[in-house]
Amino acid sequence: MTAWLQNGLVLLSDYLRAGGAVMAPLVVVSVLMWLLIAERVLFFRRLERRNMPADQARICVRENRLPAPQYAEGAVALLVGEFVVHRSGRPALDRAMLDATVQRLHRALTHRLALIGVLAAVAPLLGLLGTVTGMIATFDVLAVFGTGNAKAMAGGISQALITTQTGLIVAIPGLYMKGFLERRARIVGQRIASVGLNLQREISSCSTSVPPEKEAAPARS
């Protein structure tokens, strides 16, 4: 296993060296993009795990209590918990506060997705830059040696093809994952919006009393 890993590292090192200077930013773009993708995948997994039913959400709002611990990381529980903590007890103000909470959660769902798309789009452009530099190196060899130095010519052409290949290898899965994460964000966002509408009706149908200490406390942003 150790020998196999060492051989793999040697091959990877040779591959990166053959691609030239452009391979370093390509590696940085790839690592950063996949770190962001992994963070978003774990984020959506937490939101969708043990999601609170809509009936439980209405009960929590009606009784002015926080969600149960088993729902603590779900998308609906985040909406209910944030609203219950900041609610004022006045229906009109609470409806506006609930709308603001829904919009804030929607922004959190799409956070970093645009950056993932930018990184995925930058990768093939870096690959194209490597293609240009590789062809320039090839033409420099032709200008000095003509067609007599096949090895140097092959090095320039290899650099051009390797950087193009690497840029596409980074970009294609990145764009796919961006679309996948956008679909998950849309599904979770629709669920949050639907629960928000139900809670709006719950707020309109009842006015929750606010504890005296909460009324006395100054408003916090």
Side-chain angles (χ1 to χ4, degrees):
M1 184 66 179
T2 304
W4 177 84
L5 181 59
Q6 290 177 346
N7 291 333
L9 291 176
V10 170
L11 290 175
L12 179 60
S13 176
D14 292 340
Y15 181 82
L16 295 176
R17 189 162 45 249
V22 178
M23 296 299 287
L26 271 172
V27 170
V28 172
V29 166
S30 177
V31 171
L32 179 58
M33 183 186 72
W34 282 105
L35 285 176
L36 294 174
I37 289 173
E39 187 273 334
R40 289 289 91 183
V41 169
L42 294 175
F43 173 72
F44 286 119
R45 185 179 179 183
R46 287 196 303 268
L47 290 183
E48 294 171 350
R49 186 189 303 163
R50 297 179 181 178
N51 222 342
M52 174 185 285
D55 293 340
Q56 290 289 332
R58 286 195 296 270
I59 292 173
C60 287
V61 170
R62 187 183 308 130
E63 299 178 356
N64 198 36
R65 60 179 173 84
L66 294 174
Q70 64 265 29
Y71 301 123
E73 294 184 341
V76 177
L78 288 178
L79 171 64
V80 174
E82 188 171 347
F83 171 71
V84 168
V85 168
H86 296 95
R87 74 184 304 174
S88 64
R90 295 185 290 273
L93 181 58
D94 285 347
R95 284 195 296 270
M97 190 176 298
L98 181 61
D99 285 336
T101 304
V102 170
Q103 292 173 7
R104 189 158 51 248
L105 289 176
H106 272 287
R107 288 194 297 270
L109 293 176
T110 57
H111 186 53
R112 297 194 176 100
L113 295 186
L115 180 56
I116 292 173
V118 169
L119 292 174
V122 165
L125 297 179
L126 289 174
L128 181 60
L129 176 62
T131 302
V132 173
T133 56
M135 295 309 297
I136 289 174
T138 302
F139 288 127
D140 286 342
V141 172
L142 285 174
V144 176
F145 300 103
T147 57
N149 194 340
K151 184 177 180 180
M153 288 176 56
I157 295 173
S158 175
Q159 176 182 335
L161 296 178
I162 286 174
T163 52
T164 304
Q165 179 190 46
T166 306
L168 293 175
I169 289 174
V170 174
I172 293 173
L175 291 174
Y176 172 79
M177 290 303 299
K178 178 177 181 287
F180 170 74
L181 293 172
E182 285 177 339
R183 287 193 296 273
R184 293 189 71 173
R186 188 161 51 249
I187 293 171
V188 176
Q190 289 172 353
R191 180 175 179 82
I192 292 175
S194 175
V195 173
L197 290 175
N198 290 332
L199 296 182
Q200 288 279 10
R201 290 192 287 268
E202 185 67 31
I203 294 170
S204 300
S205 64
C206 66
S207 177
T208 304
S209 60
V210 183
E213 60 273 13
K214 189 169 183 178
E215 289 181 341
R220 297 181 181 178
S221 56

